Structures are given as structure tokens and as C-alpha cells.
């Protein structure tokens, strides 16, 4: 089943869409809808899919390398299966003043962008995996979950990553380099042995444990350890992984 023609704009978009029964449903052109529910079968996304309501996937979602916009002015919930090669996203962009909340583990195989003007994006309480660039120009609520940066290609982390947009735990894996282009705060900070070099920003604040099993490039920045409980620093901390400036608060 293929859906074609004009499926965007106030006179041609959908309201609520639900996909039922086995089989493949292909969106052959850009589309907009309020709620989108996949109850069964496989839905193949277009180049651009805009969702302003809730998203629920209990079947399969093929991202086709396209961009998925969550654009509601009211609260949006993302639920169901959002990990694995048949269900993860490619590019994800959050716009619109409504809050956006993940109700399950989620993965973005490419870029994860929170635009200025978007409501707060609340991450899953367990795991969010990002294999592209991370950009936050609004508010990212970590929800005590772990953010994995996992690409085999270079990744850049930019925008607001402190205060109410700090990470809870960050884990770096995948052979691509990871570069912070703005100050960042996190609780636990772990560089897996499979990760490319992680380049720190001018100020990196860590309130939990620090583990480096690969390479940490401090540059000219300051690493602050500011936990209120016992913190452990382990792994590589000499040579190319030496700190530049350390602050204990």
C-alpha cells in the first residue's frame, strides 16, 4: 500500500493516522499528521514526516534516512518500539512549544536536534542512543537516563548542556571522535574502549564517576569534579589523556 500526493498543509494533512494489519505501508511523499499510531505491519517514512501529536509504534517503522519532526504546540508522548534497525529514527528535530516525552528506550541513528522554541524534551529513564550530532537550543531533561554517543563517524555535541539541560550519565562508544563545542555537565562520564577520542569543552563538570578506557583530549579546558558523594576516577589519565586543569569543588 502506497500513500501518494499532497499530504502536508492545513488542507491536505492528516489528523490522526493509525496503521492496522500486516503488510507494508509506504508514504510516497512528505506528510504531516497529528497522532501517528503503528498497530501492526511496517510503515515506511518519507523524506520529511511531521508529527504534532503522540507517536506510538507497536509494529515496524522504516526511517528511510528521512527527517522526523515532532512539532506539537501541546504535549507529545513518544512510545512503543524506537530501537533496532527496523524501528529507530534517522534525523529527529523537535520544534513547537509543547513538551516532548519519551516513554521508552529510543535511538536516533543520525542527528538529534532540539530547536529554539521547542518545549522541553524528556529523555527515556533508561537509554537514549545518538549516532549523529547532538544540538540542544532549548531544554533537555535527562530523566536519570544514560545518553550513549555511539557513532563510527565524528560526532559534535553543541548547544545547552548545563543546568536544567545537563546529562545524567554519558557513555561514549563507537570509533568516531566525539567533540564538545560548548560547556557541559553530567553525573557519570564513561569513555568505552571502543570509542574514538573525546574532546572536552572549556568547562566540563562531572558529579559522578569518571572512567576513560580510550582517549580524553582535555585541550585547554577545565574539568571540575563537583559531586556531593564519593567519586571515583579510573582508566587512562596520563599522556594523551591527561587533564589540563582540574577543579575540585
Amino acid at each position: 500500500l502506497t500513500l501518494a500526493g499532497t499530504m502536508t498543509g492545513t488542507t491536505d494533512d492528516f489528523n490522526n493516522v493509525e496503521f492496522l494489519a500486516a503488510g507494508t505501508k509506504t508514504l510516497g511523499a512528505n506528510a504531516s499528521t497529528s497522532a501517528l499510531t503503528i498497530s501492526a505491519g511496517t510503515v515506511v517514512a518519507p523524506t520529511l514526516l511531521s508529527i504534532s501529536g503522540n507517536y506510538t509504534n507497536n509494529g515496524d517503522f522504516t526511517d528511510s534516512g528521512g527527517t522526523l519532526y515532532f512539532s506539537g504546540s501541546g504535549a507529545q508522548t513518544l512510545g512503543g518500539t524506537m530501537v533496532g534497525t527496523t524501528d529507530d529514527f534517522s534525523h529527529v528535530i523537535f520544534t513547537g512549544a509543547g513538551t516532548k516525552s519519551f516513554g521508552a528506550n529510543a535511538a536516533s541513528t543520525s542527528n538529534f536536534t532540539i530547536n529554539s522554541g521547542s518545549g522541553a524534551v524528556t529523555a527515556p529513564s533508561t537509554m537514549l542512543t545518538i549516532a549523529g550530532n547532538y544540538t540542544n537550543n532549548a531544554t533537555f531533561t535527562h530523566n536519570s537516563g544514560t545518553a550513549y554517543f555511539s557513532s563510527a563517524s565524528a560526532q559534535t555535541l553543541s548547544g545547552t548542556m548545563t543546568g536544567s539541560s545537563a546529562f545524567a550519565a554519558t557513555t561514549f562508544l563507537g570509533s568516531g571522535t566525539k567533540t564538545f563545542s560548548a560547556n557541559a555537565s553530567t553525573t557519570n562520564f564513561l569513555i568505552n574502549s571502543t570509542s574514538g577520542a573525546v574532546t572536552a569543552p572549556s568547562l566540563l563538570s562531572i558529579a559522578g564517576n569518571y572512567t576513560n578506557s580510550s582517549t580524553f583530549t582535555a585541550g585547554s579546558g577545565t574539568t571540575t569534579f563537583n559531586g556531593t558523594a564519593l567519586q571515583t576516577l579510573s582508566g587512562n589519565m596520563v599522556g594523551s589523556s591527561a587533564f589540563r586543569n582540574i577543579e575540585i569543588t
Side-chain angles (χ1 to χ4, degrees), residues 92-200:
V92 180
I93 297 177
F94 300 93
T95 65
T99 58
K100 284 81 175 168
S101 299
F102 286 92
N105 290 347
S108 172
T109 59
S110 192
N111 300 329
F112 185 98
T113 303
I114 307 174
N115 278 352
S116 175
S118 172
V121 176
T122 300
S125 60
T126 47
M127 179 175 72
L128 173 64
T129 302
I130 300 171
N133 294 330
Y134 172 90
T135 306
N136 175 27
N137 290 315
T139 301
F140 174 82
T141 304
H142 61 63
N143 200 24
S144 299
T146 299
Y148 289 84
F149 296 94
S150 60
S151 183
S153 300
Q155 293 182 260
T156 299
L157 288 69
S158 62
T160 305
M161 294 179 283
T162 59
S164 60
S165 290
F167 299 109
T170 49
T171 296
F172 301 92
L173 63 164
S175 58
T177 58
K178 284 80 175 169
T179 302
F180 286 90
S181 65
N183 294 344
S185 299
T186 185
T187 304
N188 295 326
F189 186 96
L190 188 153
I191 307 175
N192 189 276
S193 62
T194 64
S195 176
V198 176
T199 299

Side-chain angles (χ1 to χ4, degrees), residues 35-47:
L36 189 144
T37 302
I38 305 171
S39 295
T42 299
V43 173
V44 180
T47 301

Side-chain angles (χ1 to χ4, degrees), residues 60-64 81-90 107 109:
D60 288 314
F61 177 81
T62 302
D63 61 52
S64 302
T81 305
M82 292 177 282
V83 295
T85 54
T86 59
D87 294 295
D88 57 1
F89 303 124
S90 182
T109 59

Side-chain angles (χ1 to χ4, degrees), residues 17 35-39 51 54-59 77-81:
V17 177
L36 189 144
T37 302
I38 305 171
S39 295
I51 301 172
N54 295 333
Y55 171 87
T56 306
N57 176 25
N58 292 315
T77 299
L78 289 67
T81 305

